[in-house]
Amino acid sequence: MNETEVLIIGGGPVGLALALDLRSRGVSCLVLETTDGRVRHPRVGTVGPRSMELMRRWGLAERIRKTGWPGDHSLDIAWVTAVGGHEIHRLGFGTTDTRPALPYTPEPEQVCPQHWLLPLLAEAVGPEVLRRECRLESFVQDDDQVLATVTDLADGSRLDVGARYLVGCDGAASRVRTALRIAAPPRRPTRVFRNVLFRAPRLREQLGPDGALVYFLTQPPDLRYPLRAMNGRDLYRLTVGHHTSADPIRAIRSAIALKTPVEVLSDNVWHLTHRVAERYRHGRVLLAGDAAHTLSPSGGFGMNTGIADAADLGWKLAAELTGWAGPALLDSYEQERRPVAELSLTEADGNLRRTLDRRLPTEILLDTAQGATARTRLARAIERSGVRREFEAPDMHFGYRYASPVIVPDGRTAYDWCADLVAGGRAPHVRLGYGASSLDLFGHGFHLVASDPRPDLPALDALARAFGARRVPFALTRAPLYASPYALVRPDGHVAWHGAELPADPGALVDTVRGERR
C-alpha cells in the first residue's frame, strides 16, 4: 500500500499546478498520469496573466518566460484571406520585448505551448511525486480516506494507493467524475474540429516583421479558424472544421498563399464541448480543471481557469490536513470556483460565436476593386463586433470575486477590479520597487495588510492571538498599500475581509474565514 495525503489523478497543467501548490504548503501528494508524458500534439498556447502570477508564487514565472518564445516575435492577431494573402484587419500587441508594463499585474501573459510547459512543470514537481503510465481503475472512500486501485501500464502490475483526499484532474472524459456519477450536461452541441500541426521552416522569414502570432482565416466556404505560430520559429498549428479536406497538406496550402516548404507532424481530431459539472465534490473526492468544466478555447480561459481552481483548492486541502479548517472551508471550493467556470464558459462561447457567425462573402477573395471594397466592409464588421475582447479581457482573469461563507461581504457592487479592494476579489497589485509586488506578500497563510498610519496596536495583537490560538498561519504587514485601512488576504491572494477598523471580536472573524461558521 502506497500512502499519501492527496492523490491527484491527471498530470496535465492543472494536476501539476495543484501538486506545486500543495508541496509549497508541506502537503505530501502523488500525481498519477496515464500517458508517458510526451506531448506529441501541443494544444495550450498561452499562460494567462493570473496563471503567471501563480507561477511566480511557485517560483516558475521566469523559467516559463525563458522556455523559448522569441522576444522579437509579433503578438499581433490578424484576419486574412490566407497567410501572405490579403490582410483584412489586425490587432496590434507588439512583442514581449516591446509591450508596455501593465498597471494591474507584474506578470503579463506568456506564450508557452504545452510541449514546453508540461516538462517544466513536471521537473518542478519531481519524479518522486509524478508517476507516469499509471491508470486509475477504481476507488472507494469512507469517512477517513480514499483507497485507489491503479494499473502500472509499463508492466501491468497493480498499485494500491491510500490517501486522505483524491482530486480528479483527468480531463473532459474524467474517470473520476464518471465514477462519482456527477453529471456534466452539455450546454451547447458538440462540435468536431481538427488541429493540423506542421513545420514550415521558411515561413517566418518570408513573412518578415509583420508576421502575426495568430491568423484568423476568412476564406469561404471552409476556412475561418486560426492558424497559430507555436514556437515563434518554424512550428505552426492550423485549426479546421471536421468537414474540411481530409488531406492536411491541401488544407495548409489553402491557408498559406506563399510558396513555402511544409511538413505535417500530426493531424488531430478533437471535440469541443461546453460543460460544467453539477458538483465539484463528493466526500473526500474533488474535481478540478477539465474534469470540472470544459469550454471553448476562444479567449484562452480553459487551462487558466483550471490553474486558478488549483490555487483555490490547494490551501483549503492543506488547512484540512493540518487541522485548522472549519467544516465549511472545503465546501467553499465549489461555491467559489463553479461560478467562475460558468462565467468563463459564457465568455468563451461568445468569442466562438463571433467567429462562427461571421459572414464571409466570396468577393473578399477577389484581386479587384470589388474585392478591396468587400474586405473593407468585413474589416469594419470585425471591428464593430468587439473582437479585441477575445484577446484582451483582463477583467476575466482578475475581475471575478468570490461569494461564499468564508468571505465577509462588504456590500460593494460597483468597484474598479484593477485598483479597489473588494471582499472576495483578488488583492490588487501594488508595485514595491525593484521588480517586487504586493502580491509577493501573499501565499503562505492569512496576511493582514495594515495601511492605517496609526494602527490599533492592541487590536492587531488580539487578532494575531486569535489566529494563533486556532493554529492558523498568519502574518502582518504595516505599509500604506491600500485605501482600506485593514485588509485580510487569504493564502490564494483573495480578500477575505477588509474594513476601516479591526473587529471587536477577532475570534469571530478568524472562525468565519477558516470555515468554522457555516
Side-chain angles (χ1 to χ4, degrees), residues 239-293:
T239 299
V240 296
H242 73 283
H243 57 276
T244 306
S245 171
D247 180 2
I249 288 290
R250 182 177 176 183
I252 294 169
R253 295 299 183 200
S254 296
I256 301 176
L258 303 171
K259 290 184 178 180
T260 193
V262 298
E263 175 192 3
V264 175
L265 302 179
S266 60
D267 189 350
N268 181 47
V269 175
W270 59 282
H271 296 77
L272 171 59
T273 60
H274 299 77
R275 300 174 183 267
V276 177
E278 292 184 347
R279 289 181 290 128
Y280 280 20
R281 181 188 181 192
H282 181 77
R284 291 184 170 272
V285 183
L286 301 103
L287 304 175
D290 282 358
H293 45 74

Side-chain angles (χ1 to χ4, degrees), residues 76 293 311 332 409 433:
D76 291 357
H293 45 74
S332 72

Side-chain angles (χ1 to χ4, degrees), residues 47-364:
V47 183
R50 179 55 179 157
S51 293
M52 286 300 295
E53 289 184 350
L54 296 170
M55 294 298 172
R56 177 189 180 107
R57 180 188 302 168
W58 300 324
L60 296 177
E62 281 307 305
R63 289 179 60 187
I64 289 173
R65 297 200 188 280
K66 294 176 181 177
T67 49
W69 180 259
D72 62 349
H73 193 290
S74 170
L75 301 175
D76 291 357
I77 313 297
W79 284 258
V80 296
T81 56
V83 177
H86 295 291
E87 182 169 308
I88 295 171
H89 186 61
R90 178 178 287 248
L91 298 176
F93 291 102
T95 70
T96 55
D97 287 346
T98 62
R99 63 187 175 188
L102 298 172
Y104 47 80
T105 182
E107 297 290 349
E109 65 181 24
Q110 178 64 35
V111 178
C112 184
Q114 198 175 20
H115 65 296
W116 291 346
L117 180 63
L118 272 183
L120 185 152
L121 297 180
E123 181 184 0
V125 166
E128 71 279 8
V129 171
L130 173 60
R131 294 191 60 167
R132 295 191 173 104
E133 296 185 276
C134 288
R135 182 179 65 216
L136 175 71
E137 301 295 350
S138 63
F139 61 87
V140 294
Q141 62 172 314
D142 57 29
D143 291 342
D144 298 316
Q145 65 178 339
V146 183
L147 298 176
T149 300
V150 178
T151 298
D152 187 328
L153 298 177
D155 59 14
S157 62
R158 169 174 162 164
L159 179 70
D160 294 320
V161 183
R164 296 284 302 282
Y165 291 94
L166 184 150
V167 183
C169 302
D170 51 342
S174 170
R175 281 181 170 234
V176 175
R177 189 187 67 235
T178 300
L180 294 174
R181 298 183 180 179
I182 294 178
R187 307 294 184 86
R188 307 285 188 276
T190 299
R191 293 183 176 274
V192 183
F193 293 93
R194 288 166 49 214
N195 279 345
V196 179
L197 188 71
F198 65 97
R199 200 175 302 282
R202 292 182 52 207
L203 185 56
R204 184 185 180 190
E205 179 185 357
Q206 290 173 285
L207 292 171
D210 292 332
L213 168 63
V214 178
Y215 291 94
F216 272 84
L217 302 167
T218 58
Q219 189 179 128
D222 292 337
L223 298 181
R224 64 171 63 232
Y225 305 110
L227 187 153
R228 176 180 181 130
M230 295 297 288
N231 65 0
R233 294 185 294 275
D234 61 353
L235 193 65
Y236 298 85
R237 188 187 65 201
L238 171 65
T239 299
V240 296
H242 73 283
H243 57 276
T244 306
S245 171
D247 180 2
I249 288 290
R250 182 177 176 183
I252 294 169
R253 295 299 183 200
S254 296
I256 301 176
L258 303 171
K259 290 184 178 180
T260 193
V262 298
E263 175 192 3
V264 175
L265 302 179
S266 60
D267 189 350
N268 181 47
V269 175
W270 59 282
H271 296 77
L272 171 59
T273 60
H274 299 77
R275 300 174 183 267
V276 177
E278 292 184 347
R279 289 181 290 128
Y280 280 20
R281 181 188 181 192
H282 181 77
R284 291 184 170 272
V285 183
L286 301 103
L287 304 175
D290 282 358
H293 45 74
T294 58
L295 47 144
S296 166
S298 304
F301 307 126
M303 178 191 72
N304 295 295
T305 302
I307 290 175
D309 289 346
D312 187 285
L313 181 57
W315 74 272
K316 293 173 181 176
L317 285 172
E320 287 278 349
L321 292 163
T322 51
W324 57 263
L329 186 62
L330 200 50
D331 282 338
S332 72
Y333 164 63
E334 176 184 323
Q335 295 164 346
E336 294 180 351
R337 291 304 304 166
R338 194 170 183 275
V340 176
E342 298 270 6
L343 179 67
S344 298
L345 184 148
T346 300
E347 183 80 10
D349 184 56
N351 291 332
L352 176 64
R353 292 305 324 175
R354 194 182 291 114
T355 296
L356 292 174
D357 295 343
R358 184 170 295 123
R359 195 177 75 84
L360 302 178
T362 57
E363 291 81 6
I364 63 174

